[in-house]
Amino acid sequence: MTKSSNKTKTSAAKPVNKRSECSKEQARHYLRQMMHIRKFEDKMMDLMSKNIAQGGSHLYAGEEAVAVGAIAAIRPDDYIASTHRGHGHCVAKGGKLNELMAEILGKATGCCGGKGGSLHLADVSTGNLGANGVVAGGLGIATGAALSIKMRKDDKVVICFFGDGAMNEGIVHECMNMASKWELPIIFLVENNLYGMSVAIARSSRLEDHTKRAVAYDMPSSSVDGQDVLAVRDAVATCAQRARDGRGPSMLVANTYRYYGHSRSDPRAYRTREEEAYWHDRDPIKLFSAQCIETGILSENEVKAVDDSTTEDIEQATQFAVDSPMPEASELYTDVYA
Amino acid sequence: MTKSSNKTKTSAAKPVNKRSECSKEQARHYLRQMMHIRKFEDKMMDLMSKNIAQGGSHLYAGEEAVAVGAIAAIRPDDYIASTHRGHGHCVAKGGKLNELMAEILGKATGCCGGKGGSLHLADVSTGNLGANGVVAGGLGIATGAALSIKMRKDDKVVICFFGDGAMNEGIVHECMNMASKWELPIIFLVENNLYGMSVAIARSSRLEDHTKRAVAYDMPSSSVDGQDVLAVRDAVATCAQRARDGRGPSMLVANTYRYYGHSRSDPRAYRTREEEAYWHDRDPIKLFSAQCIETGILSENEVKAVDDSTTEDIEQATQFAVDSPMPEASELYTDVYA
Amino acid sequence: MTAKETKQDQRILTYGQAINEALDQEMARDQSVFVMGEDIAIYGGAYSVTKGLWEKYGDERIRDTGISEGAIVGAGIGAAMTGMRPVVEIMYVDFMTLVMDQLCNQAAKLRYMFGGKIKVPLTIRTEGGAGRTLGAHHSQSLESWFMHIPGIKVVMPATPYDAKGLLLSSIRDDNTVVYIEHKMLYNTKGPVPEGEYTIPIGKAEVKRPGKDVSVFTYSRQLLFCQEAAEELANEGIDVEIVDLRTLLPLDVETIVESVRKTNRAVIVEEDTITGGSGAEIGMRIVEEAFDYLDAPVKRVAGADVPMPKSAALESLAIPSKQSIIKGIREVLQ
Amino acid sequence: MTAKETKQDQRILTYGQAINEALDQEMARDQSVFVMGEDIAIYGGAYSVTKGLWEKYGDERIRDTGISEGAIVGAGIGAAMTGMRPVVEIMYVDFMTLVMDQLCNQAAKLRYMFGGKIKVPLTIRTEGGAGRTLGAHHSQSLESWFMHIPGIKVVMPATPYDAKGLLLSSIRDDNTVVYIEHKMLYNTKGPVPEGEYTIPIGKAEVKRPGKDVSVFTYSRQLLFCQEAAEELANEGIDVEIVDLRTLLPLDVETIVESVRKTNRAVIVEEDTITGGSGAEIGMRIVEEAFDYLDAPVKRVAGADVPMPKSAALESLAIPSKQSIIKGIREVLQ
Ligand SMILES: Cc1ncc(C[n+]2csc(CCOP(=O)(O)OP(=O)(O)O)c2C)c(N)n1
Ligand SMILES: Cc1ncc(C[n+]2csc(CCOP(=O)(O)OP(=O)(O)O)c2C)c(N)n1
Ligand SMILES: [Mg+2]
Ligand SMILES: [Mg+2]
């Protein structure tokens, strides 16, 4: 095995699509969400290294444009199913920073009362059907939610996030077949960050282009530059429209990159520092900030204002989380049954 | 739902390929095996209706050319993994009729000592890795056997039989991905008899052509007329050669039909009598007998001789099975551990 | 309608018909109920339990699936989380092996993990047990696995009456219920009221009062226990039979009450003995009624072997009237 | 080399290193042994157990797979049936939920179903337990499910010494062995001989002889039991600790012998209590040593809840030194 140099293989890492459009309000919103996520994750890393945050946390830093772009393309009452790398999805779907941060710290004020934690982070009241500690664990849930929508003749859609590594789980095959056969309103959104933990795609599959997997289900598929928030938004919007129109599921592969190691102690021996540098160059926040300024949608000061306020928000959320109490012992036995 | 009329959709139901060749000895062998299987199954049906054979039995009648053709293309020391519809595979792989029949009747003289029965029928000493009561239960076993072959630098191959219905199990996806990535010497042989129990392919999948599923694994695939024993043999031979040459797995879809209902009491309400008639017209034994006589490989008398001797063989096997003793009570606790 | 009243209704149905009727009535009553599984539509289910429902409710609410157990249960969970009350069928309990992640990691835990903010009102109907010489992949009893999953409920009715009432309760329950039928019970008959009625999940029933020894059982083994009790009655041995009906939650109260009365306990289960349901039931008795026990708690259970195909061996692998009688005699010594 | 001799060897390794060494030595000795799983090669395993092996044995014998647990175990079975001795890794025992068909229907039953004509010498290494606040999908103890599967063996070592010796035995065993490590033990240290040695599967060990009460435990809980025993020793209570080491087959002989001596039994397990391993262990004691018991058998076990994330709740969900002491006191009253 040689360390793979994925930067050359990733066809989707194109320059930001200049034709995508967005309003000033939208631009500010996307930027704010991406910055919230980035700073949330950087803070998380900090809290972990200080042992204030315990347990595992799979950080979303680097992939912000995927969650933000995708969720910008759907309605607040639509559903998402998230993954073990779910902080970004939670923030983008409208979770409250305070409660998300508190949840990861296992506090009573967390959105799950401290019972879920990072791996099960979700404010389900926002239409987030949950992060999942089991890789591909959200596929069944998402497919069922889409079935539910269809049976109730609702016009909602579901975005089912999962990783390139998850693609090899059997349940993915079963759910895609079912969703396709029943023409369910679901978007299978593959967050392709080139690795499943330490294993490069080419090390676990002969076929590196996941879009081709959709052929097996007679389902449309495409890929998108996952560093470009507007490109992701527009690609998901197309899929969502298709779903709302009753034309069934689709697969979208968003090519992106995670900045941190898989776990705190991961030396990232399976990837090169050059590859990392390449992707840091294509940082989604940097790219979008530059684009906004360049096209005049936001001024440099306006971008700076978002930057400052988001820093502030994360500091406050952290303080809230740290200051919050642990759950009472009596909580151990609540919520097991409805 | 309307009852599907699959005869028009099945592209592979072509006339027998006249160019395939075989020697007199081979012809006699194929014919004998197919007749053994047919008569074995007809006898089984008879024994079931008389309640001499108890429990479930999924009969292979109608599909004989698949097992016989496929196994004719590999060596006796190669492996197969079989299915819940496994009697035909066992016979074709060289199982002894007496012991197979006795096994289905739960007798001590059965190839599994009466512990396996129809759903677990296998003489593993013939390289048969076993029938399996779990649909797609043989995929992991077959993939592992192929891995074992490769790691031991052996030149054997594995034929992994499974049904069109099994195709939707998650483990199929996982194993095909693994086999393809590791270039294992395995042939995924889909016995496409148009239904998984009562469910027509079109009712469980949007994609009716299973060969396209191989795209997801970057694996070659093709289909073959499963009623034509020589066509099956030749198609499998090509796949086997590929595997032996170290070029990895392939998928072959053999289009065929089961004559009996799924279970004894199945009224076959999910398929039309016309469809059944169409396939009975393309009976693999009839077709091959006619071809042999027409091309002069076997005379009518020679075909008749095979017919007579196989009838005799099945009668003897039945007698043997019926006369055999049940296992001793002490056998209950043996063979649990090695 | 109370259980007592309904029992006076003498309409006789089979266990299979009772289940079918429960499904039918609940689908008619509640639009959010639907059925999903393999061969449940035109085929009517491997054991004919859903017969006629597809004709009545159509493809939309009686959904044939591909052979994809993980997706069947997974989609059931997602639908249940978002407003539906799915009843999914796993053809044999042996194939529940394929859905343990969905069941144990998802259905059972989602509510807890999300701080009580969602519920998963899913019913998983499946069918288990030996008796048809189907061999090791179609004859298991795996209920003790499910008993070990906090967050779900486990129901195993033995009579047509209980089958209907408990299925209605299961569907209406806001939690995931694993409802396990027994393949040898489908054709057994008993009185079943026409109307809707529910039986509380978690309540055992004394099916035969007695004073000498308590037998705790469920599902098909109830019938063997009843035969054994009849035979022993001829000898003047008065057996109390408690049909547990629900394994999770377990009705410890009724169990303990019975042991306090008889001072002797036999547990009869078809499950393989080691790590079977009887271990938990037995330990509950030990924990809560040790001082009342005049003899060790006795388990009469399946042999620790994969189910052999041969009829000659299969009948030895599970409890029988004889082995139950033997077990009862043992604790009476 | 006998166990006694080897224990005099005072080389100290961690539990993780001991497992690593066993793998290394067995791979060097036997060409048919190979390792397969997720992130076991360049990453060296989620808990670093396979570190260095890929560098030494390469891609062919240290096989990174895709995230496909079913295929990992399935292919392990097929390879084992045809001449290899695979050691496969399932990263967390929580994901064994995805391989229950392969484990229970295939690995455990194939030999029996085929009349003893094949064997499946497969080792499944996995890792379980709470303690790192990883929440409900990364903290379970599911050993009681595996105990309920005739045809496999279940091994759960608590010390580095046992970890090495039992892993070598597991790999050499001609049956499928589920070998469960504990995430909180990887960095614990103890003497481990350099050479190869095996510990028989199915033998418990009295880790601390005592005369007042018997405590039966395994895996990480051994450490808590030892702490509890130390504390109680100060009060003059003499606790015997039996480390079961293997749960299937269970060493009933050693268990019963201990109970006959002390007349009191406490079982300590991390598993959720209902349907946990303690139920089976307890019932064996009741069945074989009822007349020797001066008090009901006591279980100290995990709470019947999905594992909560919060450190404040997690520590309450599993046994602790305090709850063990409380349990011991209870049976001494
Ligand atoms: C069923 C299961 N297998 C293994 C793991 C351990 N694990 C956690 S994340 C991960 C990699 C997932 O890769 P991918 O789907 O690409 O998502 P990414 O982490 O790259 O976002 C693995 C193997 C798990 N959590 N669940
Ligand atoms: C995992 C599993 N699910 C369901 C069944 C019940 N079942 C037995 S055969 C069968 C249909 C299989 O269809 P296919 O794979 O096409 O094989 P065929 O019977 O047509 O030969 C089903 C659903 C089973 N045995 N195993
Ligand atoms: Mg990834
Ligand atoms: Mg079929």
Side-chain angles (χ1 to χ4, degrees):
Chain A
M1 190 191 93
T2 53
K3 288 177 194 176
S4 52
S5 177
N6 282 292
K7 66 179 171 184
T8 49
K9 287 182 193 154
T10 306
S11 60
K14 299 191 216 90
V16 167
N17 179 354
K18 289 279 150 62
R19 282 155 312 175
S20 296
E21 289 189 358
C22 73
S23 69
K24 191 180 187 80
E25 213 30 68
Q26 286 173 327
R28 209 178 340 236
H29 178 65
Y30 305 159
L31 203 57
R32 183 184 299 113
Q33 284 203 326
M34 290 200 289
M35 285 180 169
H36 271 153
I37 297 172
R38 174 68 51 85
K39 290 167 186 178
F40 191 99
E41 299 298 56
D42 288 348
K43 177 60 75 178
M44 221 56 241
M45 196 61 190
D46 183 43
L47 294 175
M48 287 198 287
S49 60
K50 290 175 177 146
N51 236 7
I52 295 170
Q54 295 169 317
S57 236
H58 303 102
L59 304 179
Y60 201 71
E63 309 190 8
E64 292 85 353
V66 182
V68 172
I71 291 167
I74 61 171
R75 302 190 315 228
D77 65 339
D78 288 326
Y79 294 115
I80 68 162
S82 168
T83 69
H84 60 285
R85 193 177 301 289
H87 304 177
H89 308 138
C90 286
V91 172
K93 196 70 175 71
K96 298 201 186 69
L97 296 173
N98 286 5
E99 296 180 8
L100 299 178
M101 193 71 94
E103 183 59 37
I104 298 174
L105 267 51
K107 298 301 181 75
T109 54
C111 52
C112 309
K115 286 174 174 170
S118 170
L119 278 163
H120 308 288
L121 193 67
D123 183 349
V124 294
S125 67
T126 64
N128 184 344
L129 298 171
N132 212 302
V134 178
V135 164
L139 273 280
I141 292 168
T143 303
L147 172 59
S148 173
I149 290 169
K150 178 153 183 163
M151 290 189 72
R152 288 185 284 105
K153 302 201 180 0
D154 208 339
D155 73 337
K156 293 183 189 174
V157 302
V158 183
I159 299 179
C160 178
F161 291 98
F162 61 106
D164 52 288
M167 190 58 112
N168 295 323
E169 287 282 11
I171 190 78
V172 172
H173 175 68
E174 297 187 5
C175 288
M176 287 195 177
N177 182 62
M178 178 181 273
S180 166
K181 172 61 203 161
W182 290 346
E183 298 187 318
L184 303 182
I186 182 169
I187 299 146
F188 293 104
L189 206 166
V190 185
E191 301 188 306
N192 175 18
N193 59 12
L194 312 180
Y195 300 87
M197 211 156 151
S198 70
V199 179
I201 296 178
R203 237 175 114 68
S204 60
S205 288
R206 190 179 166 88
L207 187 74
E208 289 184 57
D209 178 359
H210 281 322
T211 63
K212 292 206 187 128
R213 299 249 180 144
V215 172
Y217 316 102
D218 196 15
M219 189 163 72
S221 69
S222 53
S223 67
V224 65
D225 179 359
Q227 306 307 90
D228 179 349
V229 67
L230 297 185
V232 172
R233 184 199 61 179
D234 293 349
V236 171
T238 306
C239 298
Q241 197 52 55
R242 180 183 164 85
R244 269 192 240 284
D245 291 349
R247 288 182 294 130
S250 42
M251 188 202 286
L252 180 66
V253 178
N255 296 298
T256 184
Y257 205 72
R258 72 167 145 77
Y259 286 174
Y260 290 112
H262 186 79
S263 69
R264 211 184 317 184
S265 57
D266 172 7
R268 313 188 312 283
Y270 45 85
R271 65 189 201 188
T272 64
R273 294 302 85 91
E274 296 77 52
E275 183 181 287
E276 293 180 352
Y278 168 84
W279 285 92
H280 276 274
D281 252 14
R282 304 205 62 258
D283 182 274
I285 299 176
K286 267 202 299 199
L287 288 181
F288 189 61
S289 302
Q291 182 184 7
C292 286
I293 294 167
E294 196 184 312
T295 57
I297 298 178
L298 296 177
S299 70
E300 256 181 86
N301 275 341
E302 284 168 325
V303 169
K304 173 104 185 7
V306 175
D307 198 359
D308 291 345
S309 72
T310 50
T311 300
E312 176 70 3
D313 293 342
I314 295 299
E315 286 307 324
Q316 274 179 16
T318 306
Q319 204 56 51
F320 172 85
V322 169
D323 292 347
S324 287
M326 281 291 188
E328 299 291 332
S330 61
E331 285 299 311
L332 181 63
Y333 286 101
T334 59
D335 304 327
V336 181
Y337 290 95
Chain B
M1 189 191 95
T2 52
K3 288 177 191 173
S4 54
S5 176
N6 281 290
K7 67 180 171 185
T8 48
K9 288 181 192 155
T10 307
S11 61
K14 299 190 216 90
V16 167
N17 178 352
K18 289 280 150 58
R19 281 156 314 178
S20 294
E21 288 189 358
C22 73
S23 70
K24 191 178 186 79
E25 212 30 67
Q26 287 173 326
R28 209 180 335 239
H29 177 66
Y30 304 159
L31 203 56
R32 183 182 299 113
Q33 285 202 325
M34 291 200 289
M35 286 181 169
H36 271 153
I37 296 171
R38 173 68 52 84
K39 291 167 186 178
F40 190 98
E41 299 298 55
D42 289 346
K43 176 61 75 180
M44 223 54 242
M45 197 61 190
D46 182 45
L47 294 175
M48 286 198 288
S49 58
K50 292 177 178 145
N51 237 4
I52 294 170
Q54 295 168 316
S57 235
H58 303 101
L59 304 180
Y60 201 72
E63 309 191 7
E64 293 85 353
V66 182
V68 172
I71 291 168
I74 60 171
R75 302 191 315 229
D77 64 339
D78 287 327
Y79 295 114
I80 67 162
S82 168
T83 69
H84 60 285
R85 193 177 301 289
H87 304 177
H89 308 138
C90 286
V91 172
K93 197 68 174 73
K96 297 201 185 71
L97 297 172
N98 286 5
E99 297 180 7
L100 299 178
M101 193 71 93
E103 183 58 36
I104 298 173
L105 268 52
K107 298 301 180 77
T109 53
C111 53
C112 309
K115 286 174 175 171
S118 170
L119 279 163
H120 309 287
L121 193 68
D123 183 349
V124 295
S125 68
T126 64
N128 183 345
L129 298 171
N132 213 301
V134 179
V135 164
L139 272 281
I141 292 168
T143 303
L147 173 59
S148 171
I149 289 168
K150 179 152 183 165
M151 290 189 71
R152 287 185 284 103
K153 301 199 178 10
D154 208 338
D155 72 339
K156 294 183 188 173
V157 302
V158 183
I159 298 178
C160 178
F161 291 97
F162 62 106
D164 52 289
M167 190 59 113
N168 296 323
E169 286 283 11
I171 190 77
V172 171
H173 175 69
E174 297 186 4
C175 287
M176 287 195 178
N177 182 61
M178 179 181 273
S180 166
K181 173 59 203 160
W182 289 347
E183 299 187 316
L184 302 183
I186 182 169
I187 300 145
F188 293 104
L189 206 165
V190 184
E191 300 186 307
N192 174 19
N193 59 12
L194 313 180
Y195 300 87
M197 213 155 148
S198 70
V199 179
I201 295 177
R203 236 174 115 68
S204 60
S205 287
R206 191 179 165 87
L207 187 75
E208 289 185 57
D209 178 0
H210 281 324
T211 62
K212 293 208 187 124
R213 300 249 179 145
V215 172
Y217 316 102
D218 196 14
M219 188 164 71
S221 69
S222 54
S223 67
V224 65
D225 178 359
Q227 306 306 91
D228 179 348
V229 66
L230 298 186
V232 173
R233 183 199 60 180
D234 294 350
V236 172
T238 305
C239 298
Q241 195 55 52
R242 181 182 162 85
R244 270 192 240 284
D245 291 349
R247 288 180 296 130
S250 40
M251 188 202 285
L252 181 66
V253 178
N255 296 298
T256 184
Y257 205 72
R258 71 167 146 76
Y259 286 172
Y260 290 112
H262 186 78
S263 69
R264 214 185 314 184
S265 57
D266 172 8
R268 313 187 313 282
Y270 46 84
R271 65 189 201 188
T272 64
R273 296 300 87 90
E274 297 75 54
E275 182 181 288
E276 293 181 351
Y278 169 84
W279 284 92
H280 275 276
D281 252 15
R282 304 205 63 258
D283 183 275
I285 298 176
K286 268 202 298 200
L287 288 180
F288 189 60
S289 301
Q291 182 184 10
C292 286
I293 293 166
E294 196 184 313
T295 56
I297 297 178
L298 296 178
S299 70
E300 258 182 84
N301 275 341
E302 284 168 325
V303 169
K304 172 102 183 14
V306 176
D307 198 358
D308 292 344
S309 73
T310 49
T311 302
E312 175 70 4
D313 293 342
I314 296 299
E315 286 308 323
Q316 273 179 16
T318 309
Q319 205 55 51
F320 172 84
V322 169
D323 292 347
S324 287
M326 282 291 188
E328 298 290 331
S330 60
E331 284 300 311
L332 182 62
Y333 286 101
T334 58
D335 304 327
V336 182
Y337 289 96
Chain C
M1 194 179 333
T2 70
K4 195 127 183 288
E5 282 166 353
T6 57
K7 278 191 170 168
Q8 285 158 2
D9 177 328
Q10 282 305 311
R11 197 180 56 133
I12 301 297
L13 291 188
T14 65
Y15 183 88
Q17 287 165 337
I19 297 168
N20 180 282
E21 186 168 275
L23 289 172
D24 190 3
Q25 289 179 353
E26 200 59 7
M27 288 188 69
R29 197 186 70 87
D30 182 349
Q31 284 297 312
S32 67
V33 176
F34 70 100
V35 179
M36 174 162 66
E38 296 161 14
D39 302 285
I40 57 156
I42 191 166
Y43 200 83
Y47 287 95
S48 302
V49 170
T50 54
K51 214 156 207 107
L53 298 179
W54 175 69
E55 288 78 358
K56 188 160 172 187
Y57 297 100
D59 271 343
E60 192 62 16
R61 292 181 70 198
I62 302 290
R63 296 191 161 256
D64 260 348
T65 65
I67 310 176
S68 309
E69 285 78 7
I72 293 169
V73 175
I77 294 168
M81 288 169 76
T82 55
M84 304 298 283
R85 287 195 177 269
V87 180
V88 304
E89 177 175 320
I90 296 298
M91 200 182 285
Y92 286 80
V93 80
D94 312 74
F95 312 144
M96 290 292 289
T97 51
L98 292 161
V99 308
M100 295 306 285
D101 170 59
Q102 294 299 326
L103 179 66
C104 173
N105 285 331
Q106 312 301 339
K109 295 185 170 52
L110 289 168
R111 179 175 180 78
Y112 193 83
M113 296 187 304
F114 299 140
K117 287 191 188 166
I118 53 110
K119 56 183 188 184
V120 188
L122 168 69
T123 302
I124 304 176
R125 281 185 48 242
T126 185
E127 164 280 328
R132 291 173 64 99
T133 76
L134 295 175
H137 286 169
H138 290 73
S139 309
Q140 291 171 83
S141 300
L142 296 172
E143 56 268 20
S144 78
W145 286 1
F146 313 137
M147 284 177 79
H148 189 50
I149 305 176
I152 64 166
K153 300 184 178 180
V154 182
V155 171
M156 296 188 74
T159 68
Y161 179 85
D162 288 348
K164 180 173 171 184
L166 281 166
L167 184 51
L168 288 175
S169 295
S170 299
I171 299 173
R172 295 179 193 178
D173 198 287
D174 274 344
N175 301 285
T176 294
V177 179
V178 178
Y179 177 99
I180 310 176
E181 302 158 19
H182 195 295
K183 56 173 69 59
M184 300 305 283
L185 290 176
Y186 285 123
N187 293 323
T188 58
K189 290 181 178 152
V192 178
E194 238 178 285
E196 292 170 20
Y197 61 98
T198 57
I199 295 174
I201 292 177
K203 278 304 293 169
E205 190 179 56
V206 178
K207 286 262 156 70
R208 183 187 202 286
K211 60 179 185 1
D212 296 330
V213 54
S214 302
V215 173
F216 301 101
T217 193
Y218 55 91
S219 194
R220 182 193 186 195
Q221 290 298 323
L222 173 65
L223 309 191
F224 290 166
C225 290
Q226 284 168 331
E227 290 175 26
E230 289 314 307
E231 190 159 323
L232 289 168
N234 298 332
E235 303 175 25
I237 299 171
D238 191 15
V239 178
E240 170 146 315
I241 300 177
V242 179
D243 179 1
L244 299 168
R245 302 196 295 194
T246 301
L247 290 178
L248 184 66
L250 198 60
D251 185 355
V252 179
E253 205 180 310
T254 302
I255 294 171
V256 168
E257 201 177 296
S258 179
V259 174
R260 288 188 176 185
K261 184 172 76 174
T262 66
N263 308 118
R264 292 164 201 278
V266 176
I267 301 156
V268 180
E269 49 164 335
E270 193 175 312
D271 219 353
T272 56
I273 189 163
T274 298
S277 62
E280 180 61 33
I281 300 162
M283 270 304 280
R284 288 293 165 118
I285 296 171
V286 170
E287 287 165 348
E288 317 258 333
F290 187 72
D291 293 340
Y292 293 86
L293 284 173
D294 287 346
V297 179
K298 169 77 190 169
R299 291 186 283 180
V300 178
D304 275 335
V305 301
M307 190 58 65
K309 147 71 191 181
S310 184
L313 299 177
E314 187 192 45
S315 58
L316 298 174
I318 60 170
S320 60
K321 185 176 84 174
Q322 284 69 35
S323 67
I324 295 167
I325 290 176
K326 189 160 162 282
I328 293 173
R329 284 196 206 285
E330 235 174 77
V331 299
L332 285 169
Q333 259 150 27
Chain D
M1 197 184 325
T2 70
K4 194 125 184 291
E5 282 168 351
T6 56
K7 279 193 172 168
Q8 287 159 359
D9 178 330
Q10 282 305 311
R11 196 181 54 137
I12 300 297
L13 292 187
T14 66
Y15 184 87
Q17 287 166 337
I19 297 168
N20 179 282
E21 186 168 276
L23 288 171
D24 189 3
Q25 289 179 353
E26 200 58 7
M27 288 189 69
R29 196 186 70 86
D30 182 350
Q31 284 296 311
S32 67
V33 176
F34 69 100
V35 179
M36 174 162 66
E38 295 161 15
D39 302 286
I40 58 156
I42 192 167
Y43 200 83
Y47 287 96
S48 302
V49 171
T50 54
K51 211 151 210 113
L53 298 179
W54 175 68
E55 288 78 358
K56 188 161 170 187
Y57 296 101
D59 271 343
E60 192 62 16
R61 292 182 70 198
I62 302 291
R63 294 189 163 255
D64 260 348
T65 65
I67 309 177
S68 310
E69 285 78 7
I72 292 169
V73 174
I77 293 168
M81 287 170 77
T82 55
M84 304 298 284
R85 286 193 178 270
V87 180
V88 303
E89 178 175 319
I90 297 297
M91 202 182 283
Y92 286 79
V93 80
D94 311 73
F95 312 144
M96 289 293 289
T97 51
L98 292 161
V99 307
M100 294 306 284
D101 170 59
Q102 295 299 326
L103 179 66
C104 173
N105 284 332
Q106 313 301 337
K109 295 185 171 51
L110 289 167
R111 179 176 180 77
Y112 193 82
M113 295 187 305
F114 299 140
K117 287 191 186 165
I118 52 110
K119 57 183 189 186
V120 187
L122 168 68
T123 302
I124 304 177
R125 282 185 48 243
T126 186
E127 163 279 328
R132 290 173 66 99
T133 76
L134 295 175
H137 286 170
H138 290 74
S139 309
Q140 290 171 84
S141 300
L142 296 173
E143 56 269 19
S144 78
W145 287 0
F146 313 137
M147 283 177 79
H148 190 49
I149 305 176
I152 64 166
K153 300 184 179 180
V154 183
V155 171
M156 296 187 74
T159 67
Y161 179 84
D162 288 347
K164 179 173 172 182
L166 280 166
L167 183 51
L168 288 175
S169 295
S170 299
I171 300 174
R172 293 179 193 179
D173 197 288
D174 274 344
N175 302 285
T176 294
V177 179
V178 178
Y179 177 99
I180 310 176
E181 302 158 18
H182 196 296
K183 56 173 70 59
M184 300 305 282
L185 289 177
Y186 285 123
N187 293 322
T188 59
K189 290 183 178 152
V192 178
E194 239 179 283
E196 293 168 21
Y197 62 98
T198 57
I199 294 174
I201 292 177
K203 278 304 293 170
E205 189 179 58
V206 178
K207 286 262 156 73
R208 183 187 201 285
K211 61 181 181 4
D212 296 330
V213 53
S214 301
V215 173
F216 302 101
T217 192
Y218 55 90
S219 194
R220 182 194 186 195
Q221 290 299 324
L222 173 66
L223 309 191
F224 289 167
C225 291
Q226 284 169 331
E227 288 174 27
E230 288 313 308
E231 191 160 321
L232 288 167
N234 298 332
E235 303 176 23
I237 297 172
D238 191 14
V239 178
E240 170 145 315
I241 300 177
V242 179
D243 178 0
L244 299 169
R245 302 197 293 196
T246 301
L247 290 178
L248 185 69
L250 197 61
D251 185 356
V252 179
E253 204 180 310
T254 301
I255 295 171
V256 168
E257 199 176 298
S258 179
V259 174
R260 289 189 175 185
K261 185 171 73 173
T262 66
N263 308 117
R264 292 165 201 276
V266 176
I267 302 156
V268 180
E269 48 164 336
E270 194 176 310
D271 219 353
T272 57
I273 189 164
T274 298
S277 63
E280 180 61 34
I281 298 161
M283 270 304 280
R284 289 294 165 118
I285 295 170
V286 170
E287 287 164 349
E288 317 257 333
F290 188 72
D291 293 339
Y292 293 87
L293 284 173
D294 288 345
V297 177
K298 170 77 190 167
R299 291 186 284 179
V300 179
D304 276 335
V305 301
M307 189 59 65
K309 147 71 191 182
S310 183
L313 298 177
E314 188 191 45
S315 57
L316 298 174
I318 59 169
S320 60
K321 186 176 85 174
Q322 283 68 35
S323 67
I324 295 167
I325 289 176
K326 189 160 161 281
I328 293 172
R329 285 195 207 286
E330 236 175 74
V331 301
L332 285 169
Q333 259 153 25

